[in-house]
Every structure is written in C-alpha cells, then in structure tokens.
Amino acid sequence: MDDNLRWHRASVVLAIGLVLALLPLVAVAPAARADTALASPHFQGTWAYTDQPVAAGQASRTWMWGPSPDSPALVEPYWDSSSGWRLVQYFDKTRMEITHPEGDQSSIWYVTNGLLVKELITGNMQLGDNTFEQYPPALVNVAGDLNDPNGPTYATFNGLMGNAPIPSGWVLTQTVDRAGTVGTDPSLSSDNVTAQDVGAPTKHTVASVFWAFMTSTGLVEQNGQTSTGQLFQNPFYATGYPLTEAYWTNVLVGGVSRQVLVQVFERRVLTYTPSNPSGWQVESGNVGLQYEQWRYQQLQQTPETQTALASIPAPTHQCHPFSYTESRWSANQFYGQQVTLVYQGNSCYVFHPEYGVWWDTIIGSAQIYHGSQASGTAFDTRPFTDLSIFTDPADYWGWPADDASCSLQSYYKRWTVGGVLESVIRDDNGNWHSGGQVLTNPVKPYDFPYACQQPPCTVYAGAGVPGDLHIYFHARLAPNAIPGDPQGQLAYTFVVFGADLSTVNLSQVIQGPPGSTAVYHGGNCVFLYLSSSTPPGPKSVTIHLPDGRQSSANFYYVPAIGAPPTTGAVLAQPDLTQWYVENTASITSFAAGGTYHVQTHGYYATAWRPTAASFGDASVSLDVRMDTAGGNGFACLTTRENDPFRNNQIDFCLLASGETVINHQVQGAQETILPRAQRTGPNPMTDWNTLTIVSRADVHWFYVNGTLIGSAQHGTYGSGKVGLWVQGNGDGTTEWEFRNLVVKSVQ
C-alpha cells in the first residue's frame, strides 16, 4: 500500500487508539444463556426444522443444534463476504452462519453450519473461500467428557485422514486410542456396523448406522407446521463429507467409561452407542462448544458481538468522496510502462467505541493513464475496493511505529484493484508481504488477511537494523502473563535495538540476575522472568552478542508495587487561560470563565500544550469536564513528554463514555499500561473530574477523583514536560474544559 493510503489507515487507527485498553490474558467465549435469542429468522427456521419437535417432546432423537444458542449473535471475519464478515451463532452441536446475506434465502445453504471439525482437526481456520490461518490441531476431546485424559482428540484424527478407506460392506472392528494407534477388536463384529461407500469426494466410507441417520425421515417443523419428512434435505448438509473412517474408541461419559463408534465429518462428529435408548444411539457431538473453547480460549481470539452497520447512529457513520493520484510499481510492471493511477470513489467510516468496532471501506474505480502524471483520457479503468475491519472489543492497543508489522489483536485488511494492480506473497513462515511479485495476465484478485495475535510487547522501529547495540527496560508484566512461560514469576521486558534477536540464542547472550530466565517471543523484546522470592532492589541485565557488541541496562526489581509516595510542595501551576492553539477546521480553543476550552469538530483533532519546564518524580493532576456531551472523544493528561532518554510519555485519558485509558507512548508507538476502567465517583461527565499521575522512577500510580484505580512499573525514566491534549472521533463537535494543571513534588 502506498504511504499516503497507509497513513490514511494508520490515522484512523490512531484516532481510536486511546479508547482501547489491555486484552485479557484469556479471551473468554460469550457466556451461554438459556434465553439467548436466535440471531436471525433464518436461524430460527433452520433450528426449528429438526430441533423444535425435540424441544416439544414430539420426537426422541439427538439434538442437531441444541436446546438454545450458547452465544449471542457474533460476527467473524470472512474475506469473501460482501461486508468482510459473516453472522454466526454458536450452539452445543455446531455453529450457524450466514456468509452471503445477498444470496438465495430459499436455499437450504443460505444458513450453513461451519466446517468446524475440519478446522479443529487440521488447525487451519478458514477466513475466506481460499484464505486460511494456520494453528496447531486442537487438543480437544472429540467425544465424551472434555476432561477425559484418555479419549481421542481432534489432533488424534489429524493423523488418520490419509488412511485408506475400509472396503464397502466390511464390518467395522477398527479401534483407535488417544495416541492415534489403530487396532482391531473382533468382538465388535457383533454390532454388525458396516462401512458404506457413499461416493464422498474425500474417498472415505460412512458407517452404516450414520448413513441410515443421515438419510432418515422423522418429524420436522416448517413454518410452525409439523410433518414427516427427510431430516436432512441433503444427506451431507449437516455433516459435510467424512474426513476419516469410523473407529471404535473408549471415552468417559459422565465419568463412566463407554465404548462408542466415532466418525468425524467436515461439519460434525457423529457417535454411535449401542447401549443407548432407541433414537439416541446416534448422537451429534458437541462440536460447537468444543470449537468455541478452541477459538476463544485456547487461541485467545476475541468474540465480537454483532453490530449492524446500517443501524449505527448517523453521527458515527460517515461517508465522503475519496480521490488520490499515484504511480504504483506493480501497475507499471503489469502494463510494461510508466503509468499513473487515479483512485476515485467514496470512503466510509464507522466507529462505535461501545462495541469496539471500526469498519472502513473505500469503493470506487482506478483510472490508468500513460506516463508519470494523469493527463488526457484514461486508457484503462478498473474497480477499486479497500476494506478494513478493526474488531477488538477486549481493547488491546499497540501500534508499531514503523507500520511494518501488526500489533493489533484483530486488524483485517482487504485490498483489490480489479485483480490486477496489487500483489501479495505469503512466505514459508505464514507472513504476508504486499507487492512482491511480477504480475501476469490474467491475475486473480487476492485478499490480504492481517489477523494478528496480541504482541507480548510493542515492536519498535529500527530494532533489527544493524548498528549501535542498546537494551532498555520496558515494562513489568503480571505473573503468568504469557502461556508456556515460567509460571508464578514476574516478567520484566527489555527492548533491544541494533540486533536481530531471532538470530541468537538468548540463554547464551543474555545475563540477568541470579535465577532469572530469558525468553524470546519475537520482535525486539527480551522477557526476563524473576522469582517473587528475588530480593527487591537495583538489578542489571546484559546482552553480549557473538560479534563482541555488548550493552547493559539497570532496573529496579519490584516484586509488589507498594503504596504511592505522598505529595509535597507545588512545583508548577501554569495559567491555562494563556494556552491558545491555532484554530483550524477541526479544532478551536479559547479561554472562558477562567478556564481553558477546546472544541473538536472532526477526526484526528488534537490540541497539545506541554509546559515549558521538565519534571521527573512528581505528582501531576488536572481537572477536566465535558461541556458538550454526545461525542465520542477523549481528553488526556500527559507527563514526561519528550523524555530525553527515549522520547517517552504517559497519557492518562478520560473518555466521553466515562471510562479511563492509560497509555504509554514511545517513538510514535502506543500501548496500554492498564486495563480500561470506568471512572469512579458520583460525578457526571459534565462535572469536574480530577486525573492524577504520581510517578517515582519507573513506577506510576493513577487516580480519578482521588481514588487509586491502578499502578504499573513502566520504563519511563528521567524527566519530561507535562501537559494536556484532546481528540475527537468525527462524530460531531465535542467541547472539553480544563483547569488546575498542578505539578507537585513527591516525598
């Protein structure tokens, strides 16, 4: 993407950055609710067809979905949907989804149940028709109790997909255990279950009891009327095609060992228990619950509740004309000459901080001109779309300064110019690179999924660039912050500049305090774990590279942050009424009634007025209130801005919603220090609220209206300026009022 368009996207992200806070260590899937409504009338009709007779006690058979939804309406990214996401809802047995809302609503395939089993077995999560994100196969039991230590998992069946099919008509006596070892138990022939060739393109047979179920008739309900009909209008509608043969295995059911026949299909797991009552011998496994556990707990992805874009209030749903001219090298290569592109269309933004949703798209056309500038008549015109979706309701915020790598939890991009003018490569490590290949004609359009995991720490510009070696203390993390790392210990993170840490063995080049353990998670970061029994006090860490370069950093180990220091004498109290900024189309400032006012009129409106003097250990406080309610902007108190050590600053922001966000900014990158919190106290937003930051060395305490809301140890040494700033989110004029910016010494 060209730099101007990259800035266009980055600006929107930065505009919402300070309303986002720290991602939970484990993203919990939506809680199950017995009274959860179905997300769509089409979901209701699909559920009722097979499960309403079961719920009404009119039919005795397995649930195909479940008694009720286990989640609210969710949206999950899907690159080939017209909106970039699809509507989904989870049930015990599976997930309902509408991927193409513009499709034929009379078709049984308008509502589908996802290829959940295929994703669990392969670990290959589908994000589009031909777009996938690779994860390890799921270590989740396919049948029986989830805590059964011996039952086979989805990962078990991963190794069985390539096994040859059992000859049609043979009696099934094959067994499998958790390790994937296949055996034979001749006594199972007494159940007389046979393999049937049903013509599946996967070449696998289907157990006769399952095929009888997939082609059976029973009581169904349509439009409120019950009748006898095919349970599945297409035998593979509910299950998909078989991924393996059927195997007998032993699993715990309610803590009791049972022998069951299990077969995994693309969409479902079917089990057969001969000892079950009639009608319940064939059952559908709890794939929906298992997939939720895998996606939203093991993989720590963030469930996003549905937000209908059309229903978002007009002030936060804005469109305006878009036009941009550039020369793109990939277009030049495609056309074999110097060309100039002119993009024209409409750019629309949606931002709703309550739901954590940002949706942004540009739709129009690209005109192509000969030469280095647009002149005359375009010799080619192609459709142009640029879709970005930011869905991060758990509110992790971290943006890389160099825009070279992603540090957002959920940031999705889709970029297509008529299938021609851009290109993308995915390397062996699964990383995507834009503009890396010579295009050929014809060229297929591509989708660029930029789905990122929560980074352990911010990725800084220039980290891997050879040069002077430096190591700096960055932040103190909570115990057990990263799964798989030393448990019960504090992680101190250090940022390294001038070396590519992926090329060295940390255990050989990092020397920390006795008993410490160094771990590498990517980027520029060293995680140094220290036991809580390590005595507090000054420590040091050294990196010594094989090429002879060496750098050290000193830090103060704090097993537990104690009480804040007491405040002393006033060091500074500037007259805010003298703080004027240049009025622009997006911002206006003025003094009235002895206080300082700032009005924002659109996106990215920022007012910044640091004090002239610099302060180190100090208490900084500011009174702020919102004069014009209704907007989604925020106002921030800042301390240690332009720190000569590393250009650090701490931002303590009050949102129009009444929430607080505490960010650290260094070298243009921002990251959240503490989880987002609701402002305490009885004061409405239109009353005065006091934000206070108390700092001593690298430890900071944060107060709202005199109430401590949290503390953190973060690498912001030295001194810096203090000040304030505001920002709007493009949803109308918002006015903030300030008074009493006071800096005090600490004892």
Side-chain angles (χ1 to χ4, degrees):
M1 182 179 291
D2 61 88
D3 290 340
N4 281 279
L5 287 177
R6 193 182 300 277
W7 175 89
H8 167 75
R9 293 289 173 240
S11 298
V12 178
V13 176
L14 290 172
I16 67 173
L18 290 174
V19 303
L20 303 175
L22 186 65
L23 179 73
L25 298 180
V26 176
V28 179
R33 288 177 44 196
D35 59 346
T36 301
L38 277 85
S40 161
H42 300 286
F43 286 2
Q44 174 66 41
T46 301
W47 175 85
Y49 184 82
T50 55
D51 281 7
Q52 181 59 49
V54 179
Q58 298 171 304
S60 179
R61 60 173 182 252
T62 181
W63 297 94
M64 291 311 300
W65 306 95
S68 64
D70 293 326
S71 79
L74 302 176
V75 289
E76 292 178 347
Y78 197 84
W79 318 120
D80 294 285
S81 172
S82 57
S83 63
W85 47 262
R86 60 182 171 188
L87 175 66
V88 305
Q89 192 163 29
Y90 285 89
F91 295 76
D92 286 354
K93 305 300 183 182
T94 187
R95 176 183 73 198
M96 284 193 193
E97 56 195 34
I98 297 177
T99 303
H100 298 289
E102 73 284 357
D104 181 4
Q105 298 184 11
S106 65
S107 169
I108 63 169
W109 301 102
Y110 184 72
V111 175
T112 57
N113 56 124
L115 302 172
L116 305 188
V117 177
K118 186 176 182 180
E119 293 185 25
L120 288 164
I121 287 179
T122 63
N124 211 12
M125 184 181 294
Q126 188 165 16
L127 300 177
D129 293 349
N130 298 292
T131 303
F132 301 87
E133 192 71 26
Q134 185 64 56
Y135 298 96
L139 294 173
V140 179
N141 291 358
V142 298
D145 300 343
L146 283 176
N147 61 353
D148 181 357
N150 300 314
T153 68
Y154 287 96
T156 301
F157 284 87
N158 179 274
L160 305 178
M161 290 192 296
N163 288 4
I166 298 172
S168 185
W170 280 30
V171 176
L172 296 178
T173 59
Q174 285 196 121
T175 62
V176 71
D177 61 15
R178 189 182 186 93
T181 303
V182 176
T184 301
D185 183 352
S187 68
L188 295 170
S189 61
S190 61
D191 290 296
N192 199 32
V193 180
T194 61
Q196 289 190 229
D197 183 356
V198 297
T202 54
K203 307 301 182 183
H204 288 290
T205 65
V206 174
S208 56
V209 288
F210 298 146
W211 186 245
F213 174 74
M214 294 161 63
T215 57
S216 64
T217 60
L219 202 63
V220 297
E221 178 175 311
Q222 287 181 292
N223 302 318
Q225 301 295 317
T226 57
S227 62
T228 299
Q230 290 291 131
L231 286 185
F232 312 107
Q233 298 174 53
N234 181 302
F236 300 108
Y237 170 78
T239 62
Y241 296 118
L243 294 175
T244 70
E245 299 297 295
Y247 297 89
W248 293 92
T249 190
N250 289 295
V251 298
L252 293 180
V253 180
V256 178
S257 180
R258 304 281 293 276
Q259 190 171 56
V260 299
L261 182 70
V262 176
Q263 187 160 17
V264 294
F265 297 76
E266 292 174 307
R267 304 179 187 275
R268 304 276 184 140
V269 172
L270 294 183
T271 63
Y272 172 67
T273 310
S275 60
N276 275 1
S278 177
W280 295 92
Q281 291 176 322
V282 173
E283 295 179 277
S284 179
N286 291 329
V287 172
L289 288 175
Q290 294 159 349
Y291 185 92
E292 271 192 295
Q293 181 194 47
W294 177 63
R295 183 164 186 158
Y296 294 120
Q297 295 185 33
Q298 290 188 16
L299 299 184
Q300 301 184 21
Q301 296 199 0
T302 304
E304 174 59 56
T305 55
Q306 179 193 23
T307 300
L309 301 181
S311 67
I312 294 179
T316 59
H317 191 177
Q318 300 184 4
C319 297
H320 59 80
F322 169 80
S323 179
Y324 181 68
T325 300
E326 66 149 4
S327 179
R328 187 181 294 276
W329 73 267
S330 55
N332 295 339
Q333 290 190 342
F334 178 81
Y335 289 103
Q337 58 177 297
Q338 173 70 44
V339 296
T340 298
L341 283 67
V342 177
Y343 303 98
Q344 291 181 330
N346 286 316
S347 178
C348 296
Y349 305 89
V350 172
F351 175 56
H352 203 304
E354 179 181 356
Y355 297 105
V357 173
W358 164 51
W359 179 83
D360 181 6
T361 187
I362 301 173
I363 300 176
S365 62
Q367 293 80 40
I368 299 92
Y369 296 84
H370 294 290
S372 59
Q373 61 183 358
S375 60
T377 302
F379 71 89
D380 194 2
T381 300
R382 295 182 178 274
F384 164 66
T385 62
D386 183 4
L387 172 68
S388 297
I389 306 168
F390 181 96
T391 55
D392 201 345
D395 301 333
Y396 179 77
W397 172 242
W399 182 255
D402 60 357
D403 197 22
S405 57
C406 179
S407 60
L408 300 177
Q409 169 66 12
S410 304
Y411 181 40
Y412 306 105
K413 298 187 70 66
R414 181 176 180 175
W415 176 271
T416 304
V417 185
V420 169
L421 300 179
E422 263 292 358
S423 58
V424 70
I425 289 177
R426 191 171 191 175
D427 62 25
D428 294 337
N429 296 320
N431 300 314
W432 292 84
H433 305 280
S434 180
Q437 66 185 46
V438 178
L439 299 178
T440 57
N441 194 1
V443 177
K444 296 181 180 180
Y446 74 86
D447 293 327
F448 186 5
Y450 208 179
C452 308
Q453 301 303 308
Q454 176 189 356
C457 69
T458 303
V459 179
Y460 296 107
V465 177
D468 293 339
L469 182 67
H470 300 287
I471 182 171
Y472 302 116
F473 165 64
H474 181 61
R476 166 188 181 273
L477 303 184
N480 307 333
I482 300 175
D485 281 9
Q487 300 296 289
Q489 300 188 21
L490 287 176
Y492 272 63
T493 64
F494 296 82
V495 178
V496 176
F497 290 86
D500 183 357
L501 296 182
S502 66
T503 64
V504 298
N505 185 331
L506 282 193
S507 63
Q508 297 177 0
V509 302
I510 293 290
Q511 181 178 354
S516 61
T517 302
V519 180
Y520 177 65
H521 285 288
N524 325 84
C525 306
V526 173
F527 289 74
L528 194 67
Y529 281 86
L530 294 94
S531 168
S532 58
S533 62
T534 301
K539 312 291 182 183
S540 66
V541 60
T542 300
I543 180 170
H544 194 158
L545 297 179
D547 61 13
R549 290 182 297 155
Q550 179 174 314
S551 180
S552 298
N554 297 319
F555 65 103
Y556 198 95
Y557 177 59
V558 181
I561 297 176
T566 58
T567 57
V570 173
L571 302 178
Q573 189 170 8
D575 184 356
L576 299 184
T577 63
Q578 302 302 310
W579 285 19
Y580 293 98
V581 298
E582 180 181 356
N583 293 338
T584 67
S586 60
I587 193 165
T588 303
S589 69
F590 56 92
T595 60
Y596 180 58
H597 298 246
V598 179
Q599 291 180 343
T600 62
H601 310 295
Y603 291 104
Y604 332 128
T606 301
W608 170 249
R609 274 294 177 267
T611 57
S614 293
F615 303 94
D617 294 354
S619 167
V620 181
S621 62
L622 174 69
D623 293 343
V624 58
R625 70 179 179 184
M626 192 175 184
D627 288 344
T628 304
N632 284 313
F634 46 88
C636 305
L637 167 67
T638 293
T639 185
R640 301 196 178 187
E641 188 271 339
N642 282 335
D643 186 318
F645 188 70
R646 277 193 298 146
N647 190 28
N648 287 344
Q649 69 187 52
I650 298 292
D651 295 323
F652 189 7
C653 301
L654 183 62
L655 279 63
S657 64
E659 294 171 293
T660 59
V661 170
I662 302 170
N663 281 340
H664 171 233
Q665 186 168 163
V666 56
Q667 297 188 343
Q670 297 186 70
E671 59 185 339
T672 297
I673 294 178
L674 294 175
R676 187 164 71 177
Q678 188 68 31
R679 173 186 51 84
T680 57
N683 296 17
M685 286 300 298
T686 51
D687 280 357
W688 289 107
N689 294 272
T690 302
L691 304 178
T692 304
I693 306 173
V694 178
S695 300
R696 171 177 283 170
D698 54 16
V699 181
H700 312 277
W701 295 263
F702 303 93
Y703 295 80
V704 179
N705 298 328
T707 299
L708 180 67
I709 65 170
S711 56
Q713 187 178 5
H714 222 274
T716 51
Y717 297 108
S719 61
K721 301 174 182 178
V722 299
L724 61 90
W725 63 291
V726 301
Q727 188 155 324
N729 287 322
D731 53 357
T733 298
T734 303
E735 182 177 332
W736 296 88
E737 184 177 0
F738 304 91
R739 71 181 185 188
N740 296 337
L741 178 61
V742 182
V743 183
K744 295 182 179 180
S745 63
V746 294
Q747 306 296 324

